[in-house]
Amino acid sequence: MFNVDRRLKFPSALILCLHYPACLLVMAALSEEVLLVVKRVRQRKQDGTLYLMTERIAWGPEGKDRFTVSHLYADIRCQKISPDGKSKIQLQLVLHTGESTTFHFANESTALKDRDAAKDLLQQLLPKFKKKANKQLEEKNKMLQEDPVLFQLYKDLVVSQVISAEEFWASRLKLSSVEHSLSNNSKQEVGISAAFLADIRPQTDGCNGLKYNLTSDIIESIFKTYPAVKQKYAENVPHNLTEKEFWTRFFQSHYFHRDRINTGQQDIFSECAKQDEKGLKSMVVQGVKNPMVDLLSLEDKTLDEGYGSLTVGPNSSKTVKENSNSAIIKRFNHHSAMVLAAGLRKVDAPSDQASETSSTDGNSRDSDFFQPPIKKVKLQEAIEYEDLQNGSGPKTIALNLKKSDRYSHGPVPLQSHHYSTSQDIINSVSCIQEEISCYKPCLTRVMPSSAASSAITALSPGGLLMQAGTQQAVSQLVPTDVQSELKHLYTAAGELLRHFWSCFPVNTPFLEEKVVKMRSNLERFQSTKLRPFQEKIQREYLSTNLTSHLDEMIQAAYNKFHAWQTRRMARKT
Amino acid sequence: MASEDEVSLLVIVVDVNPIWWGQQAQREPEFNLSKCLDAVMVMANSHLVMTRTNKLAIIASHCQESHFLYPNKHWKAGDVAGDEVSSGSGDGKYELLSVANDLVAEEIRNLMARTQVKGHQTDTLLAGSLAKALCYIHRVSKELEAGQDMKSRILVSSWFPFSSAVYFCIIFVQMSMGIFGLIIYYILQVVKAAEDCALQYMNFMNVIFAAQKQNILIDACVLDSDSGLLQQACDITGGLYLKIPQKTALAQYLLWVFLPDADQRSQLVLPPSVHVDYRAACFCHRNLIEIGYVCSVCLSIFCNFSPICTTCETAFKIPLPQMMKPKKKKLKTAN
């Protein structure tokens, strides 16, 4: 018996030994924690084991220590399970790319349990990774939409298979993710519309019932504004009530309706009502911290006989109608206060101590400590105007220029002037004076006709002075569609060349591979994009050699590659 | 075809530095100041004849002063006294032209007569003349009637032996009286003879920028050597720069290139714009450099690194063995 037992145990132990070392090996390679192992899972009619790890799900066939199927949770769009009645218990994973993998749980006794365990774990894990994948995709889409040049580049390079999408995004996403995270922190939070409850307009569904349309936005608003309701939700759903039932009860409860007369029933919301009352009372007690605002002076003053004013004392009895009116008013005030408080309540702990708004939320109790400083700050603000003070600006250091005449000297190189002696000067001046003293304009003989005609020749197109003008701008000779195509070629070539040149100096085997790949990419680019363009412009008789510079750049890249390759060969031999 | 309301004012700035014109007269007697002035007068007359509403001013840029040759302070456009118009009216010329010519001749004679030789003042006061031209344009624009447009330009005619010479500025201001508003086109034509004077650099640049602000074109007709400052002036304000190969044909060049106003120039085939050298000069040697070192405190430019800026005496750290990257200053074209 003992032997039999041992013999029985041995195969299973052997299997375990076989599997766990494989698992360990794989673990060592991937350094991930294994969360769940399910044996006897068939995939494509092969027996094997399913492993669920922290970031991926993998399946390896029995007897082998490698995974043949491995999917990151981020790649999985959703999971599907076979309906309960079926004999085959299966779990299908659908990836973002559209492919699907099916696992068949073949362990007779525990198949259903295994499958459900796997499904539950996946259900918990998938949402975590889902956001990341979507976010990346969204980011990429946004980037492509915002920048038409990038979009064009993407079309030119990736869609036409010149380089792969990963290479394209490799250098770009890194930058944008940093910026994105920064901007995320400083993104403004959307406030809550004060009318969110009113937006849930009930619709009659034909037979004495009311249908309320609740969107997730509205639910979020309700939770944010009334944390008591959120608490109730967390307590009751999904243990006691389903979501639908919860909301039905919510709307049915008198808590929601106008007359907040506490009926004391087993309404789960009666507590909420009591909490609200308490909150409101505490809010009133705290009052407003701003010393400039005196709410208590806003009292109803009605006209008395003889047109004097009559202040209604606080102790006067009210009629029933007045009571219900005051109840509505109280609810309005409370609602508005909660909306404001929810909008101002930050996710992290409120660090700005000087804010008076922390006290408007009736449920916060730590604002009492900060009364004196707030009052002082408010008074200070009211008294002082920044503009009217002769504020001392930041301390500056005076600029001390020793040779400021240097600035006034223009960009004229110091040449040796033609110095004339004073005798020369006197001579010239006297000469001129003589000449001009008898100056009479003789406008009929201003210049000889030969001079005039040579001047005209020089000024005519092709003349001496007009040489520079014949170099018409290339942009005027080449049609615009050819120009835009050339621009696209330049951006695409620039991108490829940038990838290529960034590989040098080639230190790692990864860079080596990349260099070779980039060279083949460049060749491909040249043959698929550049040559047809060149042929096209040749056909259209555009004589200007538009692509010579592009050819030069690509040729330089080829030369560099060739040199590097020969050097590598020389080193190897 | 300018309408009645368009006024075009041309201001010609003529460089009449006597020292250099005198030397030029000794070197090349066939082209002297008289011939130059004749050519300018032809240009001025042509301008006045183009449209009845065209206006003119001529400034002589001397080494001691800048003097308005036309119009005279004491002379008004409509005032044609019979005694003064002597020889001009004899040939049946448009009276305005004859009066103008006589006036110019007289003024230049007076100007030269009162020249005093002073050895240290040999440079032409071009910046001052341009400033006067701008002020004149501004004044005239204020005197226009409501509903008149004015276009003005300055023509600087200068030629450039080895040092300062005569700046011959023809400022062509076309005043166009538009029905719907006042459009003033200013064109200053500068006829330059002398060298770029280092002392007037700041003033010159200020004048250029003021002209740019006022939409006044500055044209330059250079007789001898290229002038970087005038090239910049023309480039910045949108005027034409021309270096004339043949001085004797000055009148032809003026009429061909500088007589049409800015609107008409776009329809004509004129000499293309030259490549302007906007390089800065280093403060130590006054060499034109493209890449240099700039002090971050006082913005003075040097061609070599030095640990202490000589202008503001700020000490800079000695750079590490890898040389500090020189801040690139490419100032080729500032367009």
Side-chain angles (χ1 to χ4, degrees), chain A residues 472-484:
Chain A
Q472 274 293 302
V474 179
S475 57
Q476 292 180 353
L477 295 173
V478 171
T480 37
D481 56 339
V482 172
Q483 280 184 40
S484 58

Side-chain angles (χ1 to χ4, degrees), chain A residues 109-336:
Chain A
S109 46
T110 57
L112 192 60
K113 223 175 31 156
D114 290 337
R115 198 271 310 273
D116 286 340
K119 176 196 102 173
D120 289 336
L121 192 59
L122 273 176
Q123 223 175 22
Q124 286 176 27
L125 292 169
L126 280 181
K128 281 192 231 159
F129 293 88
K130 203 178 246 206
K131 286 191 200 139
K132 279 194 211 163
N134 278 347
K135 210 204 270 190
Q136 270 210 345
L137 215 61
E138 267 178 42
E139 252 184 62
K140 288 182 189 172
N141 274 338
K142 200 168 62 148
M143 276 176 68
L144 284 180
Q145 271 170 17
E146 283 172 4
D147 190 0
V149 177
L150 192 68
F151 187 54
Q152 185 65 37
L153 198 60
Y154 186 78
K155 269 203 294 201
D156 281 340
L157 292 178
V158 177
V159 174
S160 58
Q161 304 277 329
V162 179
I163 61 173
S164 69
E166 288 148 8
E167 286 176 358
F168 182 77
W169 290 112
S171 55
R172 292 207 161 75
L173 275 183
K174 229 189 294 178
L175 302 168
S176 69
S177 67
V178 169
E179 291 167 14
H180 198 66
S181 62
L182 283 177
S183 68
N184 251 339
N185 292 339
S186 58
K187 226 197 301 189
Q188 283 185 330
E189 290 178 6
V190 181
I192 305 174
S193 150
F196 68 85
L197 281 180
D199 284 339
I200 324 169
R201 261 178 243 117
Q203 303 160 338
T204 49
D205 60 359
C207 44
N208 260 350
L210 290 172
K211 205 162 81 139
Y212 285 91
N213 256 339
L214 272 184
T215 63
S216 58
D217 272 345
I218 297 179
I219 293 179
E220 207 184 299
S221 310
I222 294 179
F223 284 164
K224 257 186 162 181
T225 318
Y226 297 105
V229 176
K230 187 173 184 183
Q231 233 180 338
K232 288 286 173 199
Y233 183 84
E235 283 171 19
N236 288 319
V237 174
H239 320 287
N240 299 340
L241 308 161
T242 61
E243 214 173 312
K244 201 166 161 199
E245 276 179 26
F246 178 80
W247 290 114
T248 324
R249 290 267 200 105
F250 176 75
F251 287 116
Q252 279 174 351
S253 79
H254 285 287
Y255 178 71
F256 180 67
H257 286 277
R258 269 206 282 153
D259 347 311
R260 280 264 204 103
I261 305 164
N262 293 333
T263 53
Q265 289 171 358
Q266 73 276 42
D267 195 351
I268 50 177
F269 296 103
S270 50
E271 281 181 28
C272 294
K274 287 196 192 116
Q275 239 180 340
D276 283 345
E277 283 275 341
K278 256 199 300 183
L280 197 61
K281 280 216 175 71
S282 67
M283 256 193 265
V284 170
V285 162
Q286 279 175 5
V288 178
K289 292 290 169 260
N290 193 345
M292 299 291 144
V293 174
D294 185 10
L295 284 177
L296 296 176
S297 63
L298 303 168
E299 274 180 354
D300 281 341
K301 294 191 174 77
T302 57
L303 288 179
D304 200 6
E305 297 169 0
Y307 297 106
S309 65
L310 173 73
T311 51
V312 180
N315 298 327
S316 53
S317 57
K318 299 180 190 163
T319 59
V320 173
K321 189 164 163 235
E322 280 177 12
N323 261 334
S324 64
N325 283 347
S326 67
I328 297 177
I329 294 175
K330 233 191 332 184
R331 270 201 76 195
F332 273 132
N333 288 338
H334 178 71
H335 176 76
S336 310

Side-chain angles (χ1 to χ4, degrees), chain B residues 140-165:
Chain B
V140 172
S141 71
K142 295 280 183 250
E143 288 172 356
L144 289 176
E145 294 162 13
Q148 281 184 342
D149 291 339
M150 186 154 97
K151 279 190 170 76
S152 44
R153 55 187 204 272
I154 302 178
L155 172 59
V156 180
S157 163
S158 81
W159 66 277
F160 194 103
F162 301 102
S163 59
S164 54

Side-chain angles (χ1 to χ4, degrees), chain B residues 150-222:
Chain B
M150 186 154 97
K151 279 190 170 76
S152 44
R153 55 187 204 272
I154 302 178
L155 172 59
V156 180
S157 163
S158 81
W159 66 277
F160 194 103
F162 301 102
S163 59
S164 54
V166 177
Y167 284 8
F168 189 40
C169 295
I170 304 172
I171 302 180
F172 193 18
V173 178
Q174 293 175 323
M175 308 219 264
S176 27
M177 305 194 268
I179 301 172
F180 297 106
L182 218 69
I183 307 169
I184 298 177
Y185 306 99
Y186 293 103
I187 308 166
L188 285 179
Q189 286 181 328
V190 178
V191 179
K192 180 189 162 198
E195 186 181 68
D196 288 340
C197 186
L199 299 173
Q200 300 178 37
Y201 170 67
M202 288 295 261
N203 299 334
F204 197 77
M205 294 312 287
N206 286 337
V207 163
I208 294 173
F209 290 124
Q212 184 197 24
K213 273 273 160 57
Q214 300 284 314
N215 293 327
I216 299 174
L217 268 79
I218 298 184
D219 296 325
C221 182
V222 175

